[in-house]
């Protein structure tokens, strides 16, 4: 039988979903044509160079407020680069890039956040050495305000996350530091303490790490996240630690409000089941099973990944194996790094991307290497609390040593695209080829601080971090998302909340702001980008 006839017959027998995948990859690498050429160069050598900095950074944010998402990437030992989105599918190096390049400082994670509530996204870069905060000067450039702000911690920074944990309308900051190993001998755990900073609202921060149990801030930290795990309306805090140095395990801090000196944080790691003692690397929180609470995906080295399903009663259950999202089964030797939930096919269910490298160990020399190329993993949510691996033929199945990943609809076509950060290589931009399903994008803003005061309620931070959106469609599906800054490993996704609607032409939406105020919308038409501003949009605040 002719080959073409055989192929036609094979495609005809495939289910529709599989047939579409066979005909077209889900993602296409458009890095070269988009102009994303930044390099990454890092060192990990604990026997020869006596130094190592396992860090990368990729952060999406519209720094010039032109409606198109720009991209900042860190180079580790190469200069950092700020790309401006040209609005036509391409990027150019920003005229302000040199200000942020830090060529003499090894850089890791990066996040965009409007820390001063002036309506312009500022940039925080964590480094091997003093971290740096750059205030956005109204789109005219960036000003280094690190010293005035007091957030220049000098540890081995990996990632940062922002959240208004005290509800005062100003974004606070948590920074994870990895170990001083292999530079220090013996290893000094006190040199790697994580930092929690409270935003005073006057351009300065104060180090309030002392409000946390000191011993539990000394892990080799890779990724933090602010999220409301217990649904009580405030931001809790979860930290992923690497047990290679000071194996304290991952830590879940429950936010219990004011009263304990400055603030009450309770370590509920053990009682919640979140105290994983693993080689933790990456982290993302999302309601992957659409049951109305936030779950966690955590990556690990060599061993299986961890999917902690929130049971709605203050605890978590590991479902990675049963859900089919545990890469690294058997001889695979995968090392998980950054990870992110995102609905790549717009069907209303959060899918999953896991950045990975491969682990090699030779005998009898016992030489270990874990920064070897390996294809990343893409999992499609099957809507029954499980996932299917659709990596093969997806367009991301390329052997690279990938550490970081972040999503954004950079081309504003209604589906989520990806950027990946690759060790000792550079960055890849993957354009989503589209599913044909409907969607809705919600950009939430806290508006002017005065709006909250006039309404007689607490302020809402300008980025609306911590605000939640609950969406429902006529078919009975409900989805819950929250605005976050800091995700995966060393970066941040877009701030706008992206909902896939499947075949639904409209959706009902409920917004709950960080001060508890709500706004509701009925039958919002699909396939549009909406900006909802607290105190400005009708019915909001």
């Amino acid at each position: 039988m002719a080959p073409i006839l055989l192929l036609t017959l094979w495609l005809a027998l495939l289910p529709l979903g599989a047939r579409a995948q066979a005909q077209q990859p889900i993602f296409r690498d458009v890095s070269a044509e988009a102009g994303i050429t930044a390099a990454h160069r890092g060192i990990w050598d604990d026997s020869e160079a006596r130094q190592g900095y396992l860090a990368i950074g990729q952060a999406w944010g519209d720094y010039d407020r032109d409606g198109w998402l720009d991209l900042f990437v860190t180079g580790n030992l190469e200069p950092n680069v700020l790309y401006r989105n040209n609005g036509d599918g391409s990027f150019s190096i920003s005229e302000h890039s040199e200000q942020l390049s830090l060529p003499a400082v090894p850089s890791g994670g990066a996040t965009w956040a409007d820390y001063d509530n002036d309506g312009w996204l500022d940039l925080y870069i964590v480094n091997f050495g003093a971290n740096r905060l750059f205030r956005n000067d109204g789109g005219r450039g960036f000003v280094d305000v690190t010293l005035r702000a007091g957030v220049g911690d000098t540890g081995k920074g990996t990632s940062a996350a922002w959240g208004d944990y005290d509800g005062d309308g100003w974004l606070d900051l948590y920074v994870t530091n990895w170990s001083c190993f292999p530079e220090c001998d013996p290893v000094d755990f006190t040199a790697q303490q994580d930092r929690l900073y409270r935003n005073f609202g006057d351009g300065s921060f104060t180090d309030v790490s002392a409000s946390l149990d000191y011993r539990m801030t000394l892990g080799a930290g890779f990724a933090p996240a602010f999220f409301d795990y217990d649904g009580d309306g405030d931001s809790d805090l979860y930290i992923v630690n690497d047990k290679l140095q000071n194996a304290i395990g991952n830590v879940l801090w429950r936010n219990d409000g004011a009263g304990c000196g400055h603030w009450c944080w309770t370590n509920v790691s053990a009682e919640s089941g979140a105290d994983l003692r693993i080689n933790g690397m990456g982290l993302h929180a999302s309601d992957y099973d659409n049951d109305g609470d936030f779950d966690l995906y955590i990556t690990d080295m060599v061993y299986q990944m961890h999917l902690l399903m929130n049971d709605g009663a203050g605890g978590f259950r590991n479902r990675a194996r049963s859900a089919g999202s545990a890469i690294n089964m058997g001889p695979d030797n995968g090392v998980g790094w950054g990870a992110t939930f995102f609905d790549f096919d717009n069907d209303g269910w959060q899918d999953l991307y896991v950045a990975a490298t491969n682990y090699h160990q030779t005998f009898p020399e016992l030489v270990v290497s874990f920064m070897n190329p390996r294809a990343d993993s893409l999992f499609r949510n099957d809507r029954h609390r499980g996932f299917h691996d659709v990596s093969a033929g997806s367009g991301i199945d390329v052997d690279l040593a990938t550490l970081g990943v972040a999503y954004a609809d950079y081309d504003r076509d209604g589906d989520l695209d990806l950027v990946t950060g690759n060790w000792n290589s550079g960055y890849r931009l993957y354009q989503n080829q589209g599913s044909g399903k409907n969607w809705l994008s919600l950009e939430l803003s806290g508006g002017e601080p005065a709006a909250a005061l006039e309404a007689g309620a607490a302020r809402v931070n300008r980025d609306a971090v911590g605000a939640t959106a609950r969406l429902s469609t006529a078919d009975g599906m409900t989805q819950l998302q929250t605005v976050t800054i800091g995700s995966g490993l060393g970066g941040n996704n877009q701030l706008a909340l992206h909902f896939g609607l499947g075949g639904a032409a409209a959706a009902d939406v409920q917004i709950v702001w960080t001060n508890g105020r709500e706004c509701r919308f009925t039958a919002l038409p699909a396939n549009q980008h909406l900006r909802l501003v607290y105190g400005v949009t009708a019915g909001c605040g």
Side-chain angles (χ1 to χ4, degrees), residues 14 71 83 147 187 329 342 416 451 457:
L14 283 173
L71 176 64
Y83 287 103
L147 290 178
V187 175
M329 305 273 279
F342 72 127
L416 293 176

Side-chain angles (χ1 to χ4, degrees), residues 125 144 147 165 180 206 223 252 289 300 305 385 415 482 533 535:
I125 308 172
D144 188 339
L147 290 178
Y165 73 81
C180 63
T206 186
L252 177 61
D289 50 5
D300 199 349
M305 309 301 107
R385 298 191 176 185
D415 46 45
T482 188
V533 183

Side-chain angles (χ1 to χ4, degrees), residues 375-393:
D376 295 340
S377 293
L378 179 66
F379 296 97
R380 175 181 279 124
N381 193 322
D382 72 1
R383 311 183 187 194
H384 298 287
R385 298 191 176 185
F387 294 86
H388 291 300
D389 189 335
V390 294
S391 309

Side-chain angles (χ1 to χ4, degrees), residues 243-328:
K243 73 176 183 178
L244 177 64
Q245 298 293 328
N246 198 21
I248 63 173
N250 295 350
V251 187
L252 177 61
W253 300 102
R254 187 181 67 210
N255 187 338
D256 287 336
C260 305
H262 164 59
W263 208 257
C264 302
W265 296 96
T266 303
N267 183 353
V268 294
S269 311
E271 65 188 72
S272 67
D275 59 335
L276 302 175
R277 191 168 273 105
I278 61 174
N279 295 113
M281 308 292 189
L283 164 69
H284 199 210
S286 178
D287 182 15
Y288 85 92
D289 50 5
N290 283 350
D291 67 349
D293 49 40
F294 294 107
D295 315 292
L296 296 167
Y297 190 86
I298 303 149
T299 58
D300 199 349
M301 176 180 176
V302 181
Y303 301 102
Q304 295 176 31
M305 309 301 107
H306 306 266
L307 175 63
L308 297 189
M309 184 182 71
N310 193 325
D311 64 12
F316 293 90
R317 303 290 181 270
N318 195 346
R319 294 290 184 266
R321 181 188 288 268
S322 62
S325 60
I327 74 167
N328 205 24

Side-chain angles (χ1 to χ4, degrees), residues 149-151 162-174 195-209 211 262-263:
V151 291
W162 299 80
D164 182 10
Y165 73 81
D166 53 3
D168 65 354
W170 301 94
L171 286 176
D172 310 301
L173 173 65
Y174 192 93
R195 299 292 176 183
L196 175 63
Y197 296 102
R198 181 186 176 225
N199 189 336
F200 274 145
D202 61 358
S204 70
F205 295 73
T206 186
D207 186 340
V208 294
S209 308
S211 62
H262 164 59
W263 208 257

Side-chain angles (χ1 to χ4, degrees), residues 100-455:
L100 311 171
S101 62
L102 304 182
V105 181
S107 293
T111 50
W112 293 100
D114 186 3
Y115 81 94
D116 53 2
N117 284 343
D118 68 349
W120 295 88
L121 287 177
D122 312 296
L123 182 65
Y124 188 67
I125 308 172
V126 297
N127 300 310
F128 188 175
N131 300 334
R132 306 283 280 274
L133 176 62
F134 291 91
R135 180 177 61 81
N136 189 330
D137 186 21
R140 295 180 292 272
F142 293 87
V143 179
D144 188 339
V145 295
T146 309
L147 290 178
R148 180 175 186 273
V151 291
D153 179 58
T154 57
K156 189 184 287 186
T158 48
S159 301
W162 299 80
D164 182 10
Y165 73 81
D166 53 3
D168 65 354
W170 301 94
L171 286 176
D172 310 301
L173 173 65
Y174 192 93
V175 180
T176 50
N177 286 313
W178 200 74
S179 173
C180 63
F181 175 84
E183 291 81 11
C184 58
D185 185 17
V187 175
D188 179 6
F189 296 144
T190 64
Q192 66 195 41
Q193 183 186 11
D194 291 350
R195 299 292 176 183
L196 175 63
Y197 296 102
R198 181 186 176 225
N199 189 336
F200 274 145
D202 61 358
S204 70
F205 295 73
T206 186
D207 186 340
V208 294
S209 308
S211 62
L212 305 171
D213 180 344
Y214 175 70
R215 296 168 303 137
M216 304 307 291
T217 64
L218 301 180
F222 263 120
F226 284 101
F227 77 113
D228 185 7
Y229 90 95
D230 52 3
D232 64 353
D234 54 30
S235 292
D236 309 298
L237 180 61
Y238 190 66
I239 313 299
V240 169
N241 290 310
D242 183 358
K243 73 176 183 178
L244 177 64
Q245 298 293 328
N246 198 21
I248 63 173
N250 295 350
V251 187
L252 177 61
W253 300 102
R254 187 181 67 210
N255 187 338
D256 287 336
C260 305
H262 164 59
W263 208 257
C264 302
W265 296 96
T266 303
N267 183 353
V268 294
S269 311
E271 65 188 72
S272 67
D275 59 335
L276 302 175
R277 191 168 273 105
I278 61 174
N279 295 113
M281 308 292 189
L283 164 69
H284 199 210
S286 178
D287 182 15
Y288 85 92
D289 50 5
N290 283 350
D291 67 349
D293 49 40
F294 294 107
D295 315 292
L296 296 167
Y297 190 86
I298 303 149
T299 58
D300 199 349
M301 176 180 176
V302 181
Y303 301 102
Q304 295 176 31
M305 309 301 107
H306 306 266
L307 175 63
L308 297 189
M309 184 182 71
N310 193 325
D311 64 12
F316 293 90
R317 303 290 181 270
N318 195 346
R319 294 290 184 266
R321 181 188 288 268
S322 62
S325 60
I327 74 167
N328 205 24
M329 305 273 279
D332 181 41
N333 286 340
V335 178
W337 295 92
T340 190
F341 287 106
F342 72 127
D343 185 3
F344 73 77
D345 55 1
N346 283 340
D347 67 349
W349 295 84
Q350 295 290 303
D351 309 301
L352 177 64
Y353 190 102
V354 183
T357 63
N358 237 30
Y359 173 94
H360 291 164
Q361 182 170 331
T362 60
F363 298 95
E365 300 89 350
L366 293 180
V367 175
V368 173
S369 62
F370 52 85
M371 303 305 291
N372 305 295
R374 178 195 189 279
D376 295 340
S377 293
L378 179 66
F379 296 97
R380 175 181 279 124
N381 193 322
D382 72 1
R383 311 183 187 194
H384 298 287
R385 298 191 176 185
F387 294 86
H388 291 300
D389 189 335
V390 294
S391 309
S394 66
I396 59 94
D397 50 336
V398 181
D399 285 346
L400 292 167
T402 309
L403 269 63
V405 59
Y407 68 75
D409 183 10
Y410 79 91
D411 50 6
R412 294 181 63 86
D413 65 351
D415 46 45
L416 293 176
D417 314 295
L418 295 168
V419 63
T420 62
N422 308 291
W423 178 260
N424 265 334
S425 174
Y427 293 84
R428 298 287 183 99
L429 179 64
Y430 293 101
Q431 183 188 56
N432 193 324
Q433 298 305 286
S435 65
K437 299 184 180 72
N438 295 331
W439 53 275
L440 186 64
S441 178
L442 304 177
E443 179 188 350
L444 307 186
S445 172
E448 299 295 335
L453 297 179
E454 293 170 0

